[in-house]
Amino acid sequence: METFTSGIYEFIIGFVLLTIGYYVDFGMKFKIKEMEIYNRLIPVSTIFISILIGILLSTFFDIFVLMQLESS
């Protein structure tokens, strides 16, 4: 359950940050090179998503095995 709720929190925080970033042009205010930051974040987000999928799958399989053991 904790993995699910943390995923929901991450989704909400990400949605808020992306919405703020869409409406406020931080690149013009702080002279940020957006494409350079975007290109650096792609590998980080790929690793983060891989870790999140691994945690979700391992949690699912642990629960699945425990339910099978309890039912027999």
Side-chain angles (χ1 to χ4, degrees), residues 18-29:
L18 285 174
T19 304
I20 290 172
Y22 180 78
Y23 288 111
V24 178
D25 191 9
F26 289 110
M28 294 300 288
K29 291 187 178 194

Side-chain angles (χ1 to χ4, degrees), residues 23-59:
Y23 288 111
V24 178
D25 191 9
F26 289 110
M28 294 300 288
K29 291 187 178 194
F30 299 110
K31 306 294 186 227
I32 297 173
K33 298 178 182 175
E34 294 173 352
M35 288 306 294
E36 182 179 336
I37 293 172
Y38 177 75
N39 289 332
R40 288 183 183 180
L41 286 178
I42 289 174
V44 174
S45 63
T46 304
I47 292 171
F48 178 71
I49 290 170
S50 300
I51 291 171
L52 187 62
I53 289 173
I55 290 171
L56 289 173
L57 286 176
S58 63
T59 304

